[in-house]
Amino acid sequence: MVTVVTKLVHYLHLSRRSGQYTMNHDDSRRIPDGASFDRSGSQDSLDAMSLDDFWKEVENIHETRGNNHEERQAIVVKEPDEGELEEEWLKEAGLSNLFAESTGDSQESMVFLSTLTRTQKAAVEKRVETVTQTLRKKNKHHQIPDVRDIFRPQSDPKGKVCDRSEPSAVRTTESKNEMQDETKDLKFSLGTNEQKSPLEDMPFSETDINLEIPFAEQAANLKDNSVGKMYKDGGGDTLHTNFRLPKDKTGTTKIGDLAPQDMKKVYSLALIELTALYDVLGTEFKQQKAAKIKTKDCGLFGVPLSVLLEQDQKKVPGTKIPLIFQKLISQIEEATLETEGLLRIPGVATRVKSLCQELEAKFYEGTFNWENVKQHDAASLLKLFIRELPQPLLTVEYLKAFQDVQNLPRKKQQLQALNLLVILLPEANRDTLKVLLEFLQRVIDHREKNKMTLNNVAMVMAPNLFTFQGLGSKTIEQSEFAMAAGTANVMRFMIQYQKLLWTIPKFIVNQVRKQNTENQKKEKKDKAMKKLLKKMAYDREKHEKQDKTPNDADVPQGVIRVQAPHLSKVSMAIQLTEDLKASDIVARFLSEKSCSKIKTNKNVVSLPNRLAFSDI
């Protein structure tokens, strides 16, 4: 493999000197003889000449791997069975109870579904249909829901789903006609307010990134509306366009601003929205799943981020970025960021390998001598750390999705997809990526001195993030040779628009807010119902106690209580004997009655006397 890459780079240099630089069959161009390459030139052009940095970095990576004789265990990407991807997708979106028995709150899922937009609903419906058909083929015996019942809104007894995607087999001809009428005046609910189609009265320009209206809805309207024809084949949206985030009077919500329980909802909505966006644009979106492999449980290089953070937090509680990663960046910056060729010029391979081994042994002991580490060596160690992670920094699940962003038709849509993908990353990966991108921007800020423009940095770093050794040689070759410019452009966008990428879209915040409001109403209603039931139980128990006399519990064995309402209001305890007759019981009741009458008469007679006495 090293030989193949070396020959390729050599061929590219020869081609450039001969006046032709061929990248692939579709993109070849002539470079005038003697043309010089200015590294500090425009940051908005990604021509074949600037790919030189990419291929040199690939050569350096393979040279480093060639010096490392330790064989890494390749990650096996599972080939999913029919319907397995969709089933896993529904689980990731928190909707597993739509197709299987679940301990989750079905009412909460219904609240979640009620906040989805039409394109989001269409994405969920499509996956549910696939899983349903798969389960029927496998003859599963648990109940399978009808997709028409999943999205049945309260105001619509027919349970139609308003979407502009291809109608499913379960829809009737009548529902298709109704949907066509509804989409003429498209509206979708966000929180408690309804918003019209963004093309009707949207105050945003082509360079604005609209975070108020769902990305998939924007794409659907642009695709269907005649106005979108103006921008066909990327018209009005080129590589030179500088996008911006308009100021919002209510402010923006950044990743990390929300509580963990709300971020869980944001994750589910981001996954559904990203899938809906890809569905509308006709691009396949599939998450990859890697088989579990044995990884190192200690050390620095080749250790999972979660393990690194666990051991680092024992030394520095609360740290969210691996300590070695932070130290390498600070070591690079301590020298100066004005060094020409910073990040592009590699350190000496043998010295980098020696430093790597020494760091493994002495870093946590605090005995490593950082004065021996040259700046280019530190930069090489930083890139080595990223490449040696057991799983990509962008994760196995979403690495291909990050790569495929380049296939979306418009740059604005690529940025929107990247925004959602960053939200989907695990917290440790996302935090580490953020620190890396911020560092790369600081390097670019000194481009006048170090000659490292945005394009140069993107070209150098793209192979380190997008070519992952553990996924096998075939994937590496495809990434390096067929997707070089594409992944470099994705890297470029990630650096340039990192502030945007760490912003949670307002429409998702609104959906989370609506879910919380509905759940609070439900909790309040449940609390009131529990209080009512508790009161009813208390009243019933109190009534039962009042029906019993105080002596009921003290009645000895062989004694019965006899009630004679016409003779006495109080029951009488009767000792059962062999000689006891009914007449004896009646006589006792009569005797008690006569005694009570005498007492009553005495009270009546004495009352006037007391009154008369008081008058005197």
Side-chain angles (χ1 to χ4, degrees), residues 146-425:
D146 191 312
V147 290
R148 290 171 294 185
D149 295 330
I150 294 174
F151 299 106
R152 191 186 299 276
Q154 295 179 355
S155 60
D156 187 359
K158 295 181 181 180
K160 298 189 297 292
V161 179
C162 179
D163 70 290
R164 288 176 137 179
S165 63
E166 210 170 49
S168 63
V170 298
R171 297 197 186 104
T172 62
T173 305
E174 181 182 356
S175 65
K176 292 178 185 177
N177 295 332
E178 289 176 350
M179 280 189 345
Q180 291 173 358
D181 294 336
E182 289 173 358
T183 54
K184 290 179 181 178
D185 186 18
L186 172 66
K187 293 182 179 180
F188 48 90
S189 176
L190 290 180
T192 57
N193 301 321
E194 287 190 346
Q195 299 185 13
K196 294 182 180 181
S197 169
L199 295 177
E200 294 179 10
D201 52 0
M202 186 176 67
F204 297 92
S205 68
E206 277 303 306
T207 58
D208 289 341
I209 301 297
N210 185 352
L211 299 181
E212 296 184 10
I213 298 175
F215 301 151
E217 296 291 340
Q218 295 181 41
N221 280 287
L222 189 63
K223 182 179 179 181
D224 295 342
N225 199 295
S226 58
V227 177
K229 294 178 182 178
M230 294 170 55
Y231 307 105
K232 188 177 180 182
D233 298 327
D237 184 344
T238 66
L239 190 63
H240 298 269
T241 304
N242 287 320
F243 299 101
R244 69 184 186 91
L245 191 62
K247 290 184 178 180
D248 191 331
K249 293 181 180 179
T250 60
T252 56
T253 305
K254 297 291 184 179
I255 295 175
D257 290 347
L258 300 181
Q261 60 268 27
D262 286 333
M263 278 305 299
K264 187 176 180 182
K265 297 171 186 175
V266 168
Y267 176 90
S268 298
L269 289 167
L271 176 60
I272 296 173
E273 177 64 20
L274 180 65
T275 308
L277 177 62
Y278 275 57
D279 284 351
V280 170
L281 298 175
T283 302
E284 187 179 35
F285 171 69
K286 286 187 177 181
Q287 295 169 271
Q288 293 183 313
K289 284 293 178 184
K292 290 184 178 180
I293 60 171
K294 188 176 180 180
T295 58
K296 294 169 62 176
D297 55 2
C298 63
L300 298 176
F301 297 87
V303 180
L305 278 178
S306 58
V307 175
L308 269 175
L309 288 174
E310 185 178 346
Q311 63 187 23
D312 287 351
Q313 286 168 358
K314 293 176 182 178
K315 293 185 173 293
V316 183
T319 185
K320 294 186 176 182
I321 311 298
L323 296 179
I324 182 63
F325 194 77
Q326 296 181 53
K327 182 58 181 176
L328 288 171
I329 289 178
S330 65
Q331 184 69 18
I332 297 171
E333 292 186 306
E334 279 177 9
T336 176
L337 293 180
E338 296 182 354
T339 305
E340 185 171 344
L342 183 60
L343 295 177
R344 177 171 51 82
I345 299 176
V348 178
T350 54
R351 190 166 61 234
V352 169
K353 182 179 179 181
S354 175
L355 288 170
C356 181
Q357 294 172 348
E358 192 176 351
L359 278 167
E360 291 279 8
K362 299 180 179 179
F363 178 73
Y364 285 116
E365 295 178 358
T367 58
F368 182 81
N369 186 5
W370 286 97
E371 293 181 358
N372 296 332
V373 181
K374 296 182 179 181
Q375 191 178 40
H376 290 308
D377 294 339
S380 293
L381 286 168
L382 180 69
K383 292 186 286 185
L384 179 65
F385 174 86
I386 296 170
R387 295 195 306 271
E388 289 294 307
L389 287 171
Q391 292 199 9
L393 185 60
L394 302 179
T395 73
V396 171
E397 288 80 4
Y398 296 111
L399 179 62
K400 188 176 185 303
F402 272 96
Q403 294 172 339
D404 290 344
V405 163
Q406 61 180 309
N407 298 328
L408 300 184
R410 308 185 75 229
K411 301 302 177 185
K412 183 181 290 187
Q413 292 161 352
Q414 293 176 14
L415 276 176
Q416 292 169 341
L418 284 174
N419 182 200
L420 297 171
L421 281 168
V422 166
I423 293 174
L424 292 174
L425 289 176

Side-chain angles (χ1 to χ4, degrees), residues 505-567:
K506 190 171 183 178
F507 68 87
I508 290 183
V509 175
N510 288 340
Q511 287 178 294
V512 172
R513 185 178 293 118
K514 184 177 180 181
Q515 288 179 37
N516 290 341
T517 301
E518 294 298 323
N519 287 330
Q520 286 172 2
K521 289 180 181 178
K522 176 179 172 293
E523 289 175 6
K524 190 175 181 180
K525 185 177 179 182
D526 290 346
K527 188 181 289 185
M529 181 61 70
K530 288 179 181 179
K531 188 176 181 180
L532 177 62
L533 292 174
K534 188 176 180 179
K535 186 178 183 303
M536 291 173 63
Y538 174 77
D539 291 344
R540 183 171 59 252
E541 185 179 351
K542 184 178 179 181
H543 181 70
E544 290 174 353
K545 287 181 179 179
Q546 289 176 347
D547 288 343
K548 295 180 180 179
T549 60
N551 296 325
D552 281 350
D554 302 329
V555 176
Q557 191 173 4
V559 176
I560 63 171
R561 278 200 175 274
V562 180
Q563 290 182 334
H566 60 291
L567 296 176

